[in-house]
Amino acid sequence: KNQVEQSPQSLIILEGKNCTLQCNYTVSPFSNLRWYKQDTGRGPVSLTIMTFSENTKSNGRYTATLDADTKQSSLHITASQLSDSASYICVVLSNSGYALNFGKGTSLLVTP
Amino acid sequence: NAGVTQTPKFQVLKTGQSMTLQCAQDMNHEYMSWYRQDPGMGLRLIHYSVGAGITDQGEVPNGYNVSRSTTEDFPLRLLSAAPSQTSVYFCATTRGSVGELFFGEGSRLTVL
């Protein structure tokens, strides 16, 4: 069964610190991997989409990495801000039909 | 350019009642989909559509109906609401099967 596992489940960091969120998947065949940010009470918003050939992709202070061989991805947040407090969702698209596989998300709280 | 618009944002129903969640997009995307999000679980696909007149079931379709008469609209119908359908519902669109997902702001439904 295709699965997407995210860790940690929740994380608390001080403003200005860096953090890394993990995503491991067993989805096959692989098409692309996405990271979404979901603010409380809002819909998810795309941060990055990475294909098989992309190892690193940045979006401002967010940097995603992908190791397609080990089926692992990470999302690194640099110099965190209070507005980074949100749930971060890893999503893996399979080439087999329209099959998006969602992780349960990592809840990040940035405190002053 | 509103993107994806969902109505209503909040709704309370009694068991057995029916209702329709509305979703409209102005992005001219072919793909539209409905998800539900429950605490501790990832987003789960209810139904999706690859174009006007074409719909298909997702992971959790029971108790829900959809139709796609136009490119812009993709309503989700609850035929006879049950407490298990208490959830937050998200509509999403994408240009193609591998493209970026754009989500609406969500509709929070409570079934008593």
Side-chain angles (χ1 to χ4, degrees), chain B residues 3 25-31 68 71-72 93-95:
Chain B
Q25 56 115 348
D26 61 4
M27 308 176 80
N28 200 31
H29 286 171
E30 302 96 340
Y31 279 67
R68 184 92 179 273
T71 300
E72 295 78 18
T93 74
T94 183
R95 187 172 301 281

Side-chain angles (χ1 to χ4, degrees), chain A residues 31-32 34 36 38 41-44 46 49 89 93 98 100 102-104, chain B residues 31 33 35 37 40 42-43 48 90 94 97-101 103-105:
Chain A
S31 177
N32 60 51
R34 306 115 178 263
Y36 287 84
Q38 185 177 21
R42 308 293 297 275
S46 178
I49 298 178
I89 303 170
L93 176 66
Y98 184 61
L100 284 162
F102 289 82
K104 295 180 180 180
Chain B
Y31 279 67
S33 49
Y35 296 87
Q37 187 175 43
L43 285 152
Y48 67 98
F90 289 98
T94 183
S97 62
V98 298
E100 179 181 349
L101 270 177
F103 287 89
E105 291 299 307

Side-chain angles (χ1 to χ4, degrees), chain A residues 87-98:
Chain A
S87 179
Y88 292 84
I89 303 170
C90 176
V91 185
V92 182
L93 176 66
S94 170
N95 266 330
S96 178
Y98 184 61

Side-chain angles (χ1 to χ4, degrees), chain A residues 6-103:
Chain A
Q6 292 188 243
S7 62
Q9 186 174 4
S10 61
L11 183 62
I12 302 174
I13 62 172
L14 289 174
E15 186 180 11
K17 298 296 185 181
N18 304 335
C19 68
T20 300
L21 313 181
Q22 299 290 344
C23 175
N24 297 339
Y25 62 93
T26 61
V27 176
S28 182
F30 174 88
S31 177
N32 60 51
L33 182 145
R34 306 115 178 263
W35 283 95
Y36 287 84
K37 179 187 180 189
Q38 185 177 21
D39 293 320
T40 301
R42 308 293 297 275
V45 175
S46 178
L47 292 174
T48 65
I49 298 178
M50 301 183 73
T51 60
F52 185 88
S53 59
E54 295 176 300
N55 299 119
T56 303
K57 203 163 190 178
S58 292
N59 179 358
R61 294 179 297 102
Y62 300 100
T63 299
T65 65
L66 174 64
D67 185 336
D69 291 331
T70 62
K71 298 188 175 181
Q72 295 180 325
S73 176
S74 65
L75 180 68
H76 186 74
I77 304 174
T78 304
S80 61
Q81 300 177 358
L82 298 178
S83 59
D84 293 330
S85 296
S87 179
Y88 292 84
I89 303 170
C90 176
V91 185
V92 182
L93 176 66
S94 170
N95 266 330
S96 178
Y98 184 61
L100 284 162
N101 299 272
F102 289 82

Side-chain angles (χ1 to χ4, degrees), chain B residues 46-61:
Chain B
I46 304 172
H47 285 283
Y48 67 98
S49 168
V50 300
I54 306 170
T55 64
D56 207 345
Q57 295 181 350
E59 180 184 357
V60 288

